[in-house]
Amino acid sequence: MILQPDHKVVVAGLTGSQGSFWSEKMMAYGTNVVAGISASKAGTEHLGVPVVGSFTQAAERTGLDVAVMFVPPAAALPLTLDAIAAGAHTVVVLTEFIPVHDTMRIVAAARDSGATVVGPNTAGIVTVSQGFAGFMPAFNDRIFIPGRVGVISRSGSLGTLACMELTRAGRGQSVFIGIGGDPVSGTSTADALTALESHPQTDAVVLIGEIGGSKEEEAAEVVASMSKPVAAFIAGRAAPVGKKMGHAGALIVGDRGTYQSKRSALTAAGAVVVDVPSQLPEALDDA
Amino acid sequence: MDFTEQVAKQLLSRHGINTPTGIAVSADWPNLDLTRAMAVFAGKPVAVKAQVPAGGRGKAGGVVLTADPMSAIARMAGTKLGDHTVKQILVEEQVNIAHELYMAVAVDGSTGGPLLMFSPEGGVDIESSDTPLATVAMAVDAEPDQSQLATALAQAGCPEPVDEVAATAARLFAAFTAADAELLEINPLAVTTDGAVVALDGKLTVDDSAAGRQEQLATHASVPPVTGLEAKAAEHGLRFIELDGSVGVLANGAGLTMTTMDAITHYGGRPANFLEIGGDAYTLAVPALEVVLANPKVRSLIVNFCGAFARCDVMTGGVIEAWKTLQPDIPVFFSIHGTGMDEARDMVRRELGAEPFEYMDDAIKAAVRAAADSDDDSVTGTDS
């Protein structure tokens, strides 16, 4: 799930307005975008790369390592299955509002083939000053600067804020991994922590969680066995019980998914949990 | 989307699961269904059940076993159970129960797949039961193997007829899949004295993101209790939740919006709402601000943008336009970072003559202070 400069990136929805806007930024940042997918514009060129009809065709023509989905919810399942079948080792699914039964099929297919799915409803992945896949402002040097802190976040906007707080304190980042805001995710917070623990360019980890589900409680089990320090912030302390807070996954049911449950689990595992994101850089020194 | 027992049972029944004979009656009478129910169940013991999508109905008086359904219906109609008003009542034949089981299928975030949950001790006390639920991870795209299900259920203490309970589990899974359900629960699932397996209750939650392809089912969804402002926001497709505090919140992205609320609380204030305009809603700043400002409790406003996908210049342009239109009499504080931040900050300076804060924490502290000062003023005003 960590983007490398030599990874061949193929973008579904390259020719759409958002896909086009962000792919151009990805390429300008150094991401090796080699092709785009569009059923209606196959055979043309866009942003200097060929547009083909499927990931299978892209794999044959240009090669394929990482697939990126800038597509509407109904298209996400067939295109992701296509990308996995075509041999993509990582699929970044940016799409929000994918039916969760489709996401479960995506997760099952990824598991069967050994591919990694990041998302859905993620802001993407960034390898700082090398490349990014998704819609993070990686190119803004007031938010991302090169360094050795790995950042994991369920939310894109909050991940952006966390990176900015680190940058202000002079703590640059190695990678950003967006888990996504849905109740079912291809890559869990625990998976991302495991990846960063063995990532040689990462010395410390900032973990941005939120209420709902049990991703942070499961992540705490990984934190307990990590050699690298972890500072965490959990959003939603002030959220009322039983209301969906924007993200489909951010819902407290009974005593499950509560702020306190997550904070206690992470603290017990040795992470330093802060009250507001601006305390994160200092917490890394204490963690 | 949540559904009443009646809708859940229709789904179960379509997938071959036994349900008691029942008639749903509107709380507005006289009506034909009521007349029919009285005729069908005359003199028989029945269950009279309030149709609201809320748990704990039994304990709250929403389920009555009686031979006099008319009186029970009259007492129940129009009452409140939790946040819901009773508008529909289900009258059902009673069955002779030998065992009460619990069975459900849910989307499991931990495994990323469907999970079958079972307990041999179902009924109203399931939540306080010491027996842990037995769970079976289900393959999302495959027909379940009924003999494997039967083995798992038997190990979990399922009484006879185990094979029929396993068949019910397979049907429940099929119904769960067909309906794009997040949760489909039967509690209790009764084994009757003559050995039949019957769903005595049904609880259904369907994925909101699947509403488009569950069009038929979606028309039967229960309308969640919302405030007038929440309904107005929903008309614009905005996700707005009204809270009790005095600091209005306008932010982009669910995570940043929750964090804004957390920081308001951390610095001693109370948020007036949850409202995010991230994702595809980021061009909706005008209706968003209208909704936030229509709340009379709001004493100050924090605008907190951290643009990734959503561009700060677009969102800020909308806020400025709305501000000029509405001309609200409260102070506003801006924290603007990320994609399009320089253009957005310039717009705020030029159009509103305000200086955006460099640090989010400072902007939020200022908004909290302004709301507190305003409250102090109003108290003084009342006294003098």
Side-chain angles (χ1 to χ4, degrees):
Chain A
M1 72 192 77
I2 292 171
L3 190 64
Q4 305 292 348
D6 61 341
H7 281 163
K8 290 179 171 175
V9 177
V10 177
V11 179
L14 179 80
T15 56
S17 62
Q18 293 298 346
S20 198
F21 178 85
W22 286 99
S23 296
E24 202 169 350
K25 300 237 183 246
M26 282 158 53
M27 290 160 97
Y29 193 66
T31 314
N32 184 24
V33 176
V34 296
I37 309 290
S38 163
S40 59
K41 295 191 176 128
T44 63
E45 257 199 14
H46 190 69
L47 304 178
V49 298
V51 178
V52 297
S54 71
F55 281 101
T56 312
Q57 287 168 22
E60 283 164 12
R61 180 147 169 209
T62 60
L64 163 66
D65 296 308
V66 176
V68 184
M69 299 294 160
F70 276 103
V71 299
L77 174 63
L79 279 166
T80 304
L81 297 183
D82 177 31
I84 291 171
H89 63 66
T90 301
V91 187
V92 180
V93 185
L94 306 163
T95 313
E96 185 174 12
F97 303 122
I98 298 177
V100 70
H101 281 246
D102 288 3
T103 303
M104 292 195 292
R105 290 186 177 91
I106 287 172
V107 168
R111 198 169 288 156
D112 289 347
S113 67
T116 298
V117 168
V118 180
N121 193 12
T122 173
I125 52 177
V126 181
T127 303
V128 180
S129 66
Q130 293 187 10
F132 77 99
F135 36 71
M136 287 298 285
F139 41 83
N140 184 329
D141 64 9
R142 280 173 289 182
I143 292 170
F144 281 96
I145 56 170
R148 302 190 61 86
V149 182
V151 178
I152 301 168
S153 177
R154 272 162 83 174
S155 150
S157 56
L158 195 46
T160 304
L161 179 72
C163 290
M164 183 180 75
E165 296 291 358
L166 290 169
T167 293
R168 277 179 169 157
R171 301 288 300 252
Q173 308 84 28
S174 52
V175 293
F176 170 85
I177 301 171
I179 301 300
D182 281 3
V184 172
S185 307
T187 294
S188 68
T189 309
D191 296 336
L193 281 171
T194 305
L196 292 187
E197 172 70 0
S198 60
H199 185 235
Q201 286 78 39
T202 297
D203 290 342
V205 178
V206 161
L207 169 59
I208 307 295
E210 59 190 44
I211 53 165
S214 55
K215 286 190 172 88
E216 290 74 16
E217 287 85 340
E218 286 151 22
E221 292 171 25
V222 179
V223 170
S225 64
M226 281 175 69
S227 64
K228 298 175 183 178
V230 178
F233 170 75
I234 313 290
R237 189 179 203 169
V241 172
K243 301 264 190 185
K244 238 173 221 185
M245 303 308 283
H247 280 163
L251 170 71
I252 298 173
V253 183
D255 58 357
R256 286 176 27 219
T258 62
Y259 177 84
Q260 205 49 53
S261 149
K262 291 169 190 303
R263 184 168 185 143
S264 307
L266 285 167
T267 305
V272 175
V273 183
V274 300
D275 292 328
V276 285
S278 57
Q279 297 168 339
L280 282 166
E282 210 185 313
L284 273 183
D285 298 330
D286 301 337
Chain B
M1 292 177 282
D2 291 323
F3 294 84
T4 60
E5 171 191 7
Q6 154 80 355
V7 180
K9 278 181 169 164
Q10 285 170 349
L11 173 70
L12 296 174
S13 181
R14 279 201 299 281
H15 285 85
I17 295 174
N18 299 322
T19 57
T21 305
I23 295 173
V25 173
S26 165
D28 299 321
W29 58 67
N31 63 61
L32 283 175
D33 288 330
L34 181 63
T35 313
R36 198 156 64 88
M38 289 308 116
V40 169
F41 296 114
K44 293 179 190 161
V46 292
V48 175
K49 310 172 85 175
Q51 297 300 291
V52 293
R57 275 182 316 165
K59 290 184 174 172
V63 178
V64 176
L65 300 179
T66 177
D68 177 15
M70 196 62 218
S71 315
I73 292 170
R75 275 197 303 276
M76 207 175 270
T79 58
K80 283 217 127 189
L81 279 181
D83 290 337
H84 300 270
T85 303
V86 179
K87 293 176 181 161
Q88 195 190 41
I89 293 155
L90 182 63
V91 186
E92 273 186 350
E93 64 172 347
Q94 285 187 26
V95 301
N96 297 316
I97 301 167
H99 301 282
E100 288 193 337
L101 317 176
Y102 173 93
M103 187 182 283
V105 185
V107 173
D108 179 32
S110 302
T111 59
L115 194 70
L116 175 73
M117 294 175 281
F118 173 80
S119 169
E121 295 168 25
V124 292
D125 293 322
I126 182 81
E127 275 164 32
S128 53
S129 166
D130 291 334
T131 312
L133 291 177
T135 57
V136 181
M138 309 288 277
V140 67
D141 258 336
E143 286 264 327
D145 181 325
Q146 283 192 32
S147 65
Q148 279 179 13
L149 281 177
T151 307
L153 291 170
Q155 273 169 6
C158 180
E160 288 296 340
V162 174
D163 286 344
E164 189 49 32
V165 178
T168 303
R171 291 172 194 139
L172 184 68
F173 180 68
F176 167 85
T177 303
D180 272 302
E182 289 173 353
L183 171 72
L184 181 56
E185 179 187 271
I186 305 173
N187 183 38
L189 177 67
V191 177
T192 63
T193 47
D194 47 10
V197 178
V198 184
L200 295 191
D201 198 357
K203 188 175 176 188
L204 171 65
T205 304
V206 170
D207 179 12
D208 290 333
S209 296
R213 66 187 187 197
Q214 296 290 344
E215 226 173 333
Q216 180 73 29
L217 198 52
T219 59
H220 299 292
S222 299
V223 181
V226 292
T227 66
L229 283 179
E230 288 171 353
K232 186 172 188 296
E235 280 171 28
H236 293 285
L238 291 165
R239 298 184 277 200
F240 172 85
I241 298 169
E242 195 172 335
L243 304 168
D244 288 333
S246 56
V247 182
V249 176
L250 187 60
N252 69 290
L256 185 64
T257 309
M258 281 194 279
T259 301
T260 309
M261 292 162 51
D262 296 343
I264 289 168
T265 309
H266 179 71
Y267 291 117
R270 291 172 69 209
N273 63 276
F274 171 94
L275 174 62
E276 63 131 329
I277 58 167
D280 290 334
Y282 75 99
T283 53
L284 293 172
V286 175
L289 197 57
E290 280 177 8
V291 169
V292 172
L293 295 174
N295 176 352
K297 290 174 291 206
V298 172
R299 294 282 178 271
S300 70
L301 177 69
I302 171 76
V303 177
N304 190 9
F305 292 151
C306 207
F309 173 71
R311 282 166 45 191
C312 289
D313 51 334
V314 176
M315 296 186 289
T316 304
V319 171
I320 290 170
E321 190 193 325
W323 198 264
K324 286 182 165 176
T325 310
L326 301 170
Q327 302 193 333
D329 190 24
I330 58 164
V332 56
F333 304 90
F334 289 90
S335 169
I336 300 172
H337 299 91
T339 314
M341 61 188 271
D342 292 325
E343 301 88 322
R345 288 180 179 194
D346 279 346
M347 286 158 70
V348 171
R349 289 183 193 110
R350 198 174 57 235
E351 304 286 331
L352 299 180
E355 183 59 36
F357 284 76
E358 186 55 41
Y359 292 93
M360 179 188 99
D361 296 50
D362 292 340
I364 290 174
K365 282 182 205 168
V368 167
R369 206 157 41 232
D373 288 351
S374 163
D375 277 348
D376 290 347
D377 289 352
S378 62
V379 170
T380 315
T382 315
D383 288 344
S384 58

